[in-house]
Amino acid sequence: MALYREWLERTRGAPLVIIFNGDNAKEFDNALNLFSSHAHQWVDVTIALQPLISAKLIELQPEDVPLLKKVTIDHRYLVPGRPRTVTPANIRKIISTLARIPTLTDLSWGYDSIPLFFYSLKWPNLKKFHAYTCRLKTEECLVLLDQLPQVEDIFFGNYIDGHYKTIVTAKNLHSLVLYCSSGSDMRIFNALTLPSLETLQTCIPRDHTTVEHLIERSGCTLRHLTVNGIHGNLLALLELKCFCSLYSLRFTLLPCLTNEVARRLTWDIDTDQSIMFPHLSSIEISNNCDTTDGILSRMISSRWKGNRDPHGLKRLVVPRRFIKSGIVQDIDRATLRCLSEQGLDIVEIVLQ
């Protein structure tokens, strides 16, 4: 405890980023009391809804946390061996307090469900809301969006298609991420108008024109597209006219990049086919490719125009050791290395 006190004194009132996970520490209760007394310094807090932590949170008032911008509520930080049950009344108090904090702009919810009371509150200041694990049906997503008038960034990690009656215009929403089961109808697209939308992450809808209707109805210009999985007609989705202004294209989950898709993405002026994504500057492949050796690198080469040309591909993002470990074959490996030497920015990432 003495070390905690000394460290807090040295912060001299600076903003604090804290994860309350307990870590099975014997003095967790005392540490919780100590850090709660410095709530005026909290700027980013991650918590689990368990009795000890919740007891402190229900005592807080918005004026006690004048710097608080981000809250993550996550079941992964439950402390083993400690009671986990929090009464609905206390959860209600905590949520009510969070909704009234004027500085809170970023909220992440990491439990399997969202309390019903949550849907009845307006969150006038939230700009970012992420629901990672809870199953949210179409109507629940729409009601949440309707309660977030300033939201700019939405992440629904377990979207479930369902019937809906709410129609929503989210005028400030820039980024919409939807993880869903393959073969979804994506009915939520039919109920939304998103005039500021620039970034979309989605699976392939059964009726891919629902995306096009969303973009046309919203009057927005989409700049960044991420496609999850391979089920559905990927090529028909990518050929939609509403994607002609894309700057970046990203493939995640199962291998999406097949010979057919890679060939269609190849910039070939000798064919009669229209050029897909003339403004594309970044491609990310967050999985293995399912392409014949040489097909991938030909597509990348066709879009690489050099550093001095403002047009063309500038950045390729691939999994770590994508080139060195043999995930790509000889022709692709040699060509990508050559392009890297010429100046193409090839970034290797560690997949989570």
Side-chain angles (χ1 to χ4, degrees):
M1 289 303 299
L3 184 62
Y4 284 150
R5 289 192 183 92
E6 182 180 354
W7 180 79
L8 285 169
E9 288 176 3
R10 289 183 177 182
T11 65
R12 298 181 179 181
L16 297 179
V17 177
I18 303 177
I19 298 177
F20 288 113
N21 63 5
D23 195 28
N24 284 322
K26 295 180 180 179
E27 294 190 352
F28 175 65
D29 299 4
N30 292 331
L32 180 61
N33 289 332
L34 176 61
F35 280 94
S36 296
S37 69
H38 286 259
H40 59 281
Q41 293 177 246
W42 294 358
V43 67
D44 181 345
V45 177
T46 298
I47 60 174
L49 290 177
Q50 57 173 288
L52 285 173
I53 296 175
S54 300
K56 291 298 178 184
L57 293 179
I58 62 176
E59 296 174 358
L60 288 178
Q61 295 299 318
E63 56 268 24
D64 298 329
V65 283
L67 303 181
L68 188 60
K69 295 181 179 180
K70 180 179 180 180
V71 172
T72 301
I73 300 177
D74 198 329
H75 73 281
R76 291 177 297 177
Y77 293 98
L78 286 167
V79 181
R82 292 183 179 271
R84 298 188 176 200
T85 303
V86 179
T87 66
N90 282 349
I91 292 178
R92 187 184 181 101
K93 290 178 182 177
I94 293 168
I95 292 174
S96 178
T97 299
L98 291 176
R100 291 185 292 115
I101 297 175
T103 55
L104 182 63
T105 58
D106 185 340
L107 177 63
S108 294
W109 190 271
Y111 279 76
D112 291 338
S113 62
I114 294 178
L116 289 176
F117 178 65
F118 195 104
Y119 297 91
S120 66
L121 291 175
K122 279 288 184 184
W123 298 78
N125 303 303
L126 276 190
K127 295 183 182 295
K128 182 176 181 179
F129 178 73
H130 286 196
Y132 292 107
T133 58
C134 48
R135 294 164 59 92
L136 292 173
K137 293 183 179 180
T138 304
E139 178 66 12
E140 293 169 321
C141 293
L142 293 170
V143 171
L144 279 171
L145 280 167
D146 203 32
Q147 298 295 78
L148 305 169
Q150 300 300 321
V151 73
E152 298 175 358
D153 181 339
I154 283 285
F155 182 107
F156 292 140
N158 198 351
Y159 168 77
I160 307 296
D161 249 346
H163 297 290
Y164 64 90
K165 57 183 179 180
T166 304
I167 305 295
V168 175
T169 296
K171 62 180 181 179
N172 298 307
L173 191 68
H174 298 304
S175 174
L176 175 62
V177 176
L178 296 165
Y179 277 93
C180 54
S181 58
S182 299
S184 172
D185 288 328
M186 300 303 292
R187 295 176 184 174
I188 192 170
F189 290 152
N190 297 322
L192 288 173
T193 300
L194 308 173
S196 300
L197 187 67
E198 295 182 343
T199 301
L200 177 65
Q201 180 166 338
T202 178
C203 63
I204 305 170
R206 286 195 182 98
D207 180 3
H208 54 269
T209 61
T210 57
V211 182
E212 190 166 43
H213 295 156
L214 166 64
I215 303 303
E216 291 175 351
R217 181 171 60 252
S218 301
C220 59
T221 301
L222 207 65
R223 299 299 190 187
H224 312 283
L225 175 67
T226 299
V227 182
N228 302 326
I230 60 172
H231 297 284
N233 192 337
L234 173 60
L235 207 51
L237 178 71
L238 295 179
E239 288 183 329
L240 293 176
K241 292 181 180 180
C242 61
F243 295 147
C244 66
S245 298
L246 285 183
Y247 290 160
S248 70
L249 178 62
R250 180 170 172 251
F251 301 106
T252 68
L253 301 180
L254 298 174
C256 291
L257 202 56
T258 61
N259 284 344
E260 181 185 27
V261 174
R263 286 192 178 105
R264 187 65 185 91
L265 288 172
T266 300
W267 200 331
D268 190 347
I269 61 175
D270 295 328
T271 68
D272 294 331
Q273 285 186 311
S274 60
I275 297 173
M276 293 181 70
F277 314 132
H279 307 289
L280 197 66
S281 61
S282 175
I283 295 177
E284 179 173 338
I285 306 167
S286 299
N287 45 59
N288 297 341
C289 289
D290 187 19
T291 55
T292 304
D293 190 19
I295 300 293
L296 169 65
S297 57
R298 182 171 182 269
M299 182 269 287
I300 299 299
S301 297
S302 75
R303 291 182 167 273
W304 163 245
K305 304 299 180 183
N307 284 328
R308 296 183 180 181
D309 194 322
H311 306 291
L313 191 69
K314 300 299 180 186
R315 190 167 187 257
L316 173 65
V317 182
V318 293
R320 187 179 180 185
R321 302 188 64 80
F322 183 82
I323 299 174
K324 297 179 181 178
S325 66
I327 295 176
V328 293
Q329 301 177 59
D330 295 342
I331 297 175
D332 284 333
R333 186 182 304 113
T335 304
L336 291 177
R337 283 175 174 167
C338 182
L339 291 174
S340 178
E341 292 171 359
Q342 292 176 25
L344 176 63
D345 185 18
I346 299 181
V347 179
E348 293 186 292
I349 58 172
V350 178
L351 299 179
Q352 299 297 321

